[in-house]
Amino acid sequence: MALTERRRSLMSQPTQQRIVKTAIPGPESVRLQQRRNASVAAGFGVTLPVFVEEAGGGILVDVDGNHIIDLASGIGVTGVGASHPEVVARVSEQVEKFTHLGFVSTQYELAVQVAETLNRLTPGNFEKRTALYSTGAEAVENAVKIARTYTGRDAIVVLGHAYHGRSLLTMTMTAKNVPYKEGFGPFAPEIYRVPSPYPFRWAGNLDDVAQEAFDQLTDIITTQIGAHNVAAIVVEPIQGEGGFIVPPDGYLPKVVEFAKANGIVFVADEIQAGLGRTGDMFAVNHEGIIPDLITTAKALAGGLPLAAVTGRAEIMDAVPAGGLGGTYGGNPVACAAALAALEVIERDDLAGKARRIEEVMKPRLEAIAKWSKHIGEVRGRGAMLAVEFVKPGTKAASAEAAKTVAAYANSRGVLTLTAGTYGNVIRFLPPLVIGEDLLTDALDVLEAGIAELG
Ligand code: PLZ
């Protein structure tokens, strides 16, 4: 195919409609799965074992021709859709010029433009710097390195139910044992955990979650670590893998204030929640919080691997030249994709689209929760919504109910992901550009799946 023709075909999106032609997974996917099992390491799990040939907007097309509604966005990555025409165009243009140089050997303007854009978009009216990497774990890991250099301290404080990655340091920072940590120790030192302000599972008074959780944080830091030994407090402003746990208003501002008073770097891990997903450009904007450092990845480059640490210039510049780097960090093709994705997020107000997704989905999920005894809570903000399943009449987690409903939806062409420390949460991370008819269709399927629980 001639290049221009190929480009034009890439620009066309699959029909935005759920079409189920075969069992899901269908025969072609099942055949490929056998090859996969014989060639790919078993440690990679999979939610829906289909093989995708084409994706865009709110639809994934598998090798059997099924059109599957995408409520996952590649785990919150393809907010602009998996083949946004502007991302495709800028990436194609860039690969024809050069694919890679290594930003630490020779430089290119694209990386500077991405840094300038992130410095402008992140909250805080002060001088900022950005460091570019390839994966979220790498960004979190480097935020810790930077905070340690700046403060000259070792301790890192994280929350219960946290997820920060799979590298040794970020796996240590992650709370959940199976599947993330089991068998992978010994873990990194100087990581301390404080309770997550998880309203649905809070043992104390529901009205006091913010204050009680904050008191526990200060108590643990003061008595077990010493505030003067803490380099950073790292928090997901809405906890992602942990089950879309939304901290009660008031908690994060208190933590930021405490960090400031004690010379501790406050790091917001916005890798899953950031860049429009929660209805704001950043989830911290909801309470007007200004972190010292923010990590981004996922939605940053519309599907290409790019991650960043952005924050106060005096903190970021504490590491001398040569101390930060990596072969692929800030790869030019990923930067080209990021410039397109960030432009689309801003210009097309994808944060507004996320708020609209909440308006469409949340009332329906809440209505279902009224009649279904299996739902403990519906929560989340914007296009980061979740349902927590329980054993009827109790708060006991029911991973079985979540798995049954997710499997029901998946087999009918609606891709949903589960989450949560107890595996009992179905989370929704649709592309922000998804059509409302697709959302409604997906909700119909989910509702039928929940009804089947009885
Ligand atoms: N911080 C808040 O959500 C990645 C993990 C998928 P990487 N979450 C998806 C899986 O099973 O591995 C994540 C996150 C938050 C950090 C990360 C890590 O980002 O790009 O996966 O390294």
Side-chain angles (χ1 to χ4, degrees), residues 75 134-138 140 163-166 170 180 236 238-241 269-273 295 297-298 307 427:
I75 326 186
S134 304
T135 68
E138 228 188 328
V140 173
Y163 185 92
H164 297 292
R166 291 183 186 258
T170 58
Y180 305 123
E236 297 160 86
I238 292 184
Q239 295 190 294
E241 304 300 309
D269 180 349
E270 292 258 7
I271 285 165
Q272 192 155 162
T295 55
K298 294 191 183 280
R427 58 171 152 171

